[in-house]
Amino acid sequence: MLSVCTFASSSSGNCLLVSCGNAHILVDAGISARRIAQSLKCLGLSLADLDGILITHEHRDHIAGLETLAKHCPAPVFAGEGTAEALLGCAPSVGPRLRPFIPGSGFEFSGVCVSSFPTPHDTPVSVGYRLESGGRSAAVATDLGFVPEAVLKAVSGADVLVLEANHDVETLKYGPYPYFLKQRILGNRGHLSNDASAAAACTAAGGGTRRIILAHLSRENNTPKMALDTVTQALFRAGIRAGEDLELSVAPQFEMGPRYILD
């Protein structure tokens, strides 16, 4: 059995849980340790049940709760080289359990095979993950300015894909953000637009992905409806019917989402 549950997904904080059989793996810790513990409790779990914590990069909306979490949770913390070095400075309590790896490499623990892949984002090191166990797989690809071929290859065909759909380009361009921030978000090391997310979703679905969770939506520059409509229409043009051929949803920004389970 594989399941995915988002605990929060926005520019204010990101955290999700992937469970593969009896292994429970947290991806990012961008909300408080208390909220993480409360979310786990809703699933009948505790911090002690975590087998590992995967960090994508060191921006605060992905690690805000990590320092406190590491003091109360014995699970190893995996991060790409570069990110691991940054974590030692901003979350030193992770030090004894920090497990650095080379971005793009894979590793295994608790019966789960983890593949990492570099993502183009404005930090020295940023990665996404694909987790596989028992013939099922889940992939997480957020915080990327565009989708390189290597990322498409890494996520395509995953049973569940958590995919960034950060902004609607026109809403961002004519919105209240200062010019420099708009340029950062729109750049190749920024965040993924709805249109770029839709193109990636079509490729992933063509490879066999059957559930996509749109994530990391901007509160100011996007809405769940805009993201869903853009991706749904792109899928339809590709001959894929959302709701029939593929399940498409949006991760709640500031609260726990539903638990998606694959037997």
Side-chain angles (χ1 to χ4, degrees), residues 25 54 101-109 112-118 127-133 137-141 150 153-155:
I25 301 167
L54 305 179
F101 60 84
I102 298 172
S105 65
F107 48 93
E108 183 176 354
F109 68 97
V112 180
C113 294
V114 180
S115 302
S116 69
F117 49 90
V127 301
Y129 294 101
R130 180 168 176 148
L131 300 87
E132 301 188 60
S133 179
S137 60
V140 180
K153 183 178 179 181
V155 305

Side-chain angles (χ1 to χ4, degrees), residues 48-158:
D49 292 311
L50 291 178
D51 292 272
I53 302 168
L54 305 179
I55 300 298
T56 59
H57 62 293
E58 73 271 21
H59 283 169
R60 183 162 179 79
D61 59 319
H62 294 262
I63 65 161
L66 184 60
E67 170 71 1
T68 302
L69 183 65
K71 294 177 181 178
H72 298 90
C73 174
V77 177
F78 299 87
E81 293 179 352
T83 298
E85 183 177 352
L87 292 180
L88 290 175
C90 59
S93 61
V94 308
R97 293 191 300 282
L98 191 57
R99 306 290 186 269
F101 60 84
I102 298 172
S105 65
F107 48 93
E108 183 176 354
F109 68 97
S110 299
V112 180
C113 294
V114 180
S115 302
S116 69
F117 49 90
T119 53
H121 195 47
D122 57 350
T123 184
V125 174
S126 180
V127 301
Y129 294 101
R130 180 168 176 148
L131 300 87
E132 301 188 60
S133 179
R136 294 293 193 181
S137 60
V140 180
T142 63
D143 295 77
L144 60 170
F146 71 104
V147 186
E149 192 64 33
V151 173
L152 284 176
K153 183 178 179 181
V155 305
S156 290

Side-chain angles (χ1 to χ4, degrees), residues 11 164-168 185 191-192 194 215-218 221-222:
S11 299
E164 180 172 51
N166 178 258
H167 61 276
D168 171 76
I185 294 170
H191 288 280
L192 213 60
N194 290 342
H216 212 310
L217 272 68
S218 167
N221 304 306
N222 208 358

